[in-house]
Amino acid sequence: MPDPADAPPPIPATRPTSKDVAKLAGVSQSTVSLVHAGKWAGRVSERTVQAVIDASNALGYRPNQAARHLRLGTTRTVLLVVPALTNPFFGAVHTGASETAARRDFAVVIYPAPVQPGYELEPVASPFAAAHTALDGVLASSTAADTLSGLLGTGTPGTGLPLVMMDSEPGTGAPTVNIDIADGMRRLTTHLLGLGHRRIGRVASDIDSWTFRTREAAFRETLSTAPDAEASYAHTPMAVPEATTAAGHLLDHPRRPTALVCDDDVIAAGAYKAARARGLRIPQDLSVTGVDDLLVATVLEPELTTIRLPGHRLGEVGMGALLDLLDGRQPEDAALPGELLVRGSTATPATDA
């Protein structure tokens, strides 16, 4: 017959509490709280910690995290604001940010705040009745300051909520984590100049944001190093039909460009369509470049020369900066390198071009 002393302790009929654990382990409730919060080092002996763990396991006790966060005035939830959920780049940003947050016991809520010409001046309805009570901080990518302020109901970005910005102008208040897009555009333009191109068309995004202004400035700066180079320009939404039309305007010019520099790979896909509608071969008659290295870059034939932007890493570093900010540390501005990928869409210009 088994000894009653060997029987497991009775499990309470109701959900076990820290008081039940403390009683079974023979310690105070504050000791139970220290152990479950991971703050016992230097305060509680390892033997006592093990006793608390054993008692918790025996009773099936799990700390009420929601109540704990409420007492601490935190939600362990952060908001990720991106311009679009349909763009694979921002999917990679979300994955990197979420993985980093999960490693530090934070949840991520994603919210799309599209940035289109003029749209950033309109108020954006917030999904939160009170963002300051639902969130601990905000990580925002490529989002105009006015849009972000409207979303959070604050007069100034970062007011009342810790904020880190991605793909945004450094030195404007909030810490920034960017991709060094200026270096990428300089390398891309230098690549075309090195091939011998001197008439270069630029099919640019019509979104007025820091990242696209930076691309434009770097393009112009690099082109100025070749005195005999000339540029032509067209602006377009980041969609294939509109990009096809914009690129077509450049290709119909009497002094047709021998290369097109596109602000992203989707715009480059439109440039391919415009070229083929005019019987132009890529790259024999026209070189085309993009930015991002989306899946479409290797679906196009020939494959697209482009700048690979590390979206996953951007999300990781951006979220890490935000969580450091929440821990009371001031992160430094960061710039991540892109990578020039030379593929089949660029070549020396035709001799009769």
Side-chain angles (χ1 to χ4, degrees):
M1 185 173 182
D3 187 339
D6 295 333
I11 297 177
T14 58
R15 177 174 175 168
T17 66
S18 61
K19 184 177 181 180
D20 298 322
V21 175
K23 183 177 180 180
L24 181 59
V27 299
S28 67
Q29 277 185 264
S30 61
T31 298
V32 174
S33 297
L34 285 172
V35 171
H36 281 285
K39 298 180 179 179
W40 57 269
R43 302 181 182 182
V44 180
S45 70
E46 292 187 11
R47 182 178 178 180
T48 299
V49 170
Q50 192 59 52
V52 171
I53 293 173
D54 291 343
S56 299
N57 291 337
L59 295 172
Y61 170 75
R62 296 291 183 271
N64 187 334
Q65 294 295 335
R68 177 173 179 268
H69 297 331
L70 184 61
R71 290 193 302 273
L72 295 175
T74 65
T75 65
R76 301 197 75 79
T77 301
V78 294
L79 182 68
L80 173 64
V81 184
V82 297
L85 297 179
T86 54
N87 188 318
F89 174 79
F90 295 109
V93 171
H94 174 250
T95 301
S98 296
E99 290 174 353
T100 299
R103 286 194 291 269
R104 290 168 66 171
D105 193 29
F106 273 78
V108 176
V109 176
I110 189 167
Y111 184 76
V115 179
Q116 297 295 338
Y119 185 89
E120 62 270 22
L121 302 179
E122 300 174 9
V124 178
S126 172
F128 305 100
H132 295 80
T133 61
L135 302 166
D136 286 343
V138 179
L139 177 63
S141 176
S142 304
T143 306
D146 290 342
T147 297
L148 187 60
S149 297
L151 171 68
L152 300 178
T154 58
T156 304
T159 301
L161 273 176
L163 171 69
V164 170
M165 298 292 291
M166 299 181 293
D167 279 342
S168 300
E169 184 175 1
T172 56
T176 58
V177 177
N178 293 322
I179 295 171
D180 192 349
I181 192 63
D183 178 68
M185 185 59 75
R186 282 192 290 265
R187 291 166 65 189
L188 198 63
T189 309
T190 298
H191 166 66
L192 291 174
L193 291 174
L195 290 173
H197 292 278
R198 290 300 181 269
R199 297 199 307 274
I200 301 178
R202 179 156 154 72
V203 192
S205 168
D206 62 0
I207 296 174
D208 182 20
S209 68
W210 174 84
T211 183
F212 294 115
R213 291 193 299 270
T214 300
R215 297 173 201 204
E216 176 63 21
F219 171 75
R220 289 178 181 270
E221 173 194 338
T222 309
L223 207 65
S224 69
T225 64
D228 56 340
E230 58 186 82
S232 52
Y233 296 88
H235 291 82
T236 176
M238 295 173 69
V240 172
E242 290 85 348
T244 302
T245 300
H249 290 323
L250 297 181
L251 297 180
D252 290 338
H253 193 276
R255 286 180 59 78
R256 174 177 62 80
T258 62
L260 293 180
V261 173
C262 302
D263 255 344
D264 89 329
D265 297 345
V266 173
I267 292 176
Y272 270 55
K273 292 190 69 173
R276 286 180 175 149
R278 289 158 177 79
L280 299 175
R281 300 165 300 162
I282 298 172
Q284 294 91 338
D285 303 316
L286 178 72
S287 289
V288 180
T289 68
V291 174
D292 272 349
D293 194 33
L294 303 178
L295 177 61
V296 68
T298 53
V299 171
L300 292 170
E301 183 59 42
E303 294 186 359
L304 181 66
T305 294
T306 189
I307 296 293
R308 175 178 290 163
L309 303 184
H312 188 278
R313 184 62 180 156
L314 183 68
E316 286 182 329
V317 177
M319 182 58 68
L322 177 59
L323 298 184
D324 285 347
L325 195 61
L326 294 177
D327 283 342
R329 299 188 293 274
Q330 185 64 32
E332 295 184 358
D333 291 342
L336 310 177
E339 180 184 1
L340 173 62
L341 300 176
V342 177
R343 298 191 177 116
S345 68
T346 52
T348 56
T351 55
D352 58 347

